[in-house]
């Protein structure tokens, strides 16, 4: 009986140690996920990410990628291949670059717009072509990205940011919300509220910056 009591005492002791260790691990994880970074750390993240949006905003929403010109104009052609000098030669490369800067959720909304096109409602004449905006980019049979030469840019002017004007509204290890002064045509423009999220692959921009 004494041996049994001793075994039970040792078993309970080991069980308590396991439970306490598990509780400590869980507490550490919860503390880390719910804790907060400093303002300086948040600003460093923003300073690193925001400039990376400039080129992508131009490609996705602004002037777009350069494409090969053809003799006689492009009136009869809707899509033309990107030039060899274009920074992205296919849809995969452009999507991967986008996901390095923007969050998966925000990037998905971009992909739906840029690579799939969208409907703007049925026209009075019931013509489908008047109710659809065709995709801006798609891969040709040769694997080279094609550009919709008639796509009307969503953004007419490029927007950059004054990284000395960052104001942190809220911050944690999972999300940062900040206000940053923007610049258009070399002049100070509106202050933009921007969200950043910490994904499985690092910090990403989670809202429009154009």
């Amino acid at each position: 009986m004494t041996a049994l009591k001793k075994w039970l005492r040792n078993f309970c002791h080991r069980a308590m140690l396991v439970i306490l260790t598990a509780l400590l691990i869980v507490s550490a994880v919860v503390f880390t996920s719910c804790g907060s970074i400093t303002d300086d750390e948040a600003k460093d993240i923003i300073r690193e990410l925001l400039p990376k949006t400039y080129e992508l905003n131009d490609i996705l929403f602004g002037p777009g990628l350069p494409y090969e010109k053809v003799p006689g104009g492009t009136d009869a052609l809707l899509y033309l291949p990107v030039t060899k000098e274009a920074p992205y030669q296919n849809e995969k490369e452009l999507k991967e670059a986008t996901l390095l800067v923007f969050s998966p959720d925000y990037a998905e909304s971009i992909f739906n717009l840029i690579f799939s096109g969208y409907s703007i409602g049925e026209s009075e004449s019931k013509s489908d072509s008047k109710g659809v905006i065709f995709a801006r980019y798609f891969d040709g049979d040769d694997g080279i990205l094609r550009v919709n030469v008639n796509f009307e840019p969503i953004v007419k002017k490029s927007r950059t940011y004054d990284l000395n004007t960052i104001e942190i509204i809220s911050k944690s290890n999972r999300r940062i919300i900040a206000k940053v002064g923007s610049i258009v045509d070399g002049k100070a423009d509106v202050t933009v509220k921007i969200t950043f999220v910490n994904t499985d692959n690092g910090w990403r921009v989670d809202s429009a910056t154009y």
Side-chain angles (χ1 to χ4, degrees):
M1 195 69 177
T2 303
L4 177 60
K5 288 183 178 179
K6 185 177 180 181
W7 181 87
L8 287 172
R9 190 184 307 113
N10 290 336
F11 175 79
C12 292
H13 180 69
R14 288 194 297 271
M16 286 298 296
L17 285 176
V18 171
I19 292 171
L20 287 172
T21 301
L23 288 173
L24 286 172
I25 293 172
V26 170
S27 298
V29 170
V30 170
F31 177 79
T32 301
S33 62
C34 297
S36 183
I37 57 179
T38 67
D39 276 11
D40 286 342
E41 288 172 332
K43 289 180 180 180
D44 285 342
I45 291 166
I46 294 170
R47 291 189 185 102
E48 179 183 357
L49 276 176
L50 263 186
K52 295 178 180 179
T53 68
Y54 302 164
E55 179 190 60
L56 286 171
N57 283 339
D58 281 347
I59 291 171
L60 297 167
F61 309 111
L65 289 168
Y67 55 84
E68 297 287 355
K69 303 298 190 294
V70 295
T74 61
D75 292 344
L77 299 172
L78 182 59
Y79 287 93
L80 290 174
V82 295
T83 63
K84 289 183 174 60
E85 294 72 34
Y88 307 105
Q89 292 292 305
N90 55 60
E91 184 175 316
K92 182 175 182 289
E93 290 179 355
L94 184 49
K95 283 186 173 181
E96 287 177 346
T98 302
L99 285 167
L100 287 175
V101 177
F102 295 109
S103 69
D105 286 345
Y106 182 60
E108 189 61 32
S109 68
I110 295 173
F111 297 157
N112 289 336
L113 169 66
I114 299 301
F115 296 110
S116 300
Y118 59 97
S119 172
I120 56 174
E122 191 178 60
S123 64
E124 292 182 2
S125 64
K126 308 297 183 182
S127 171
D128 290 339
S129 63
K130 291 185 178 180
V132 173
I133 299 297
F134 292 100
R136 182 165 204 180
Y137 300 112
F138 80 92
D139 282 347
D141 293 338
D142 56 1
I144 301 298
L145 197 64
R146 295 301 198 273
V147 181
N148 181 346
V149 299
N150 295 322
F151 189 93
E152 186 68 23
I154 299 169
V155 178
K156 305 297 183 182
K157 296 181 179 180
S158 297
R159 185 179 305 279
T160 59
Y161 289 86
D162 182 351
L163 300 179
N164 294 316
T165 66
I166 300 172
E167 177 188 347
I168 305 298
I169 298 174
S170 65
K171 65 188 186 307
S172 71
N173 284 339
R174 301 303 302 169
R175 183 179 300 272
I176 302 168
I177 300 176
K179 289 181 179 180
V180 190
S182 67
I183 301 170
V184 175
D185 289 339
K187 297 179 181 179
D189 200 68
V190 297
T191 296
V192 181
K193 184 178 178 180
I194 308 171
T195 300
F196 304 81
V197 294
N198 196 357
T199 72
D200 292 339
N201 296 309
W203 285 94
R204 300 290 188 268
V205 180
D206 193 46
S207 57
T209 57
Y210 55 78

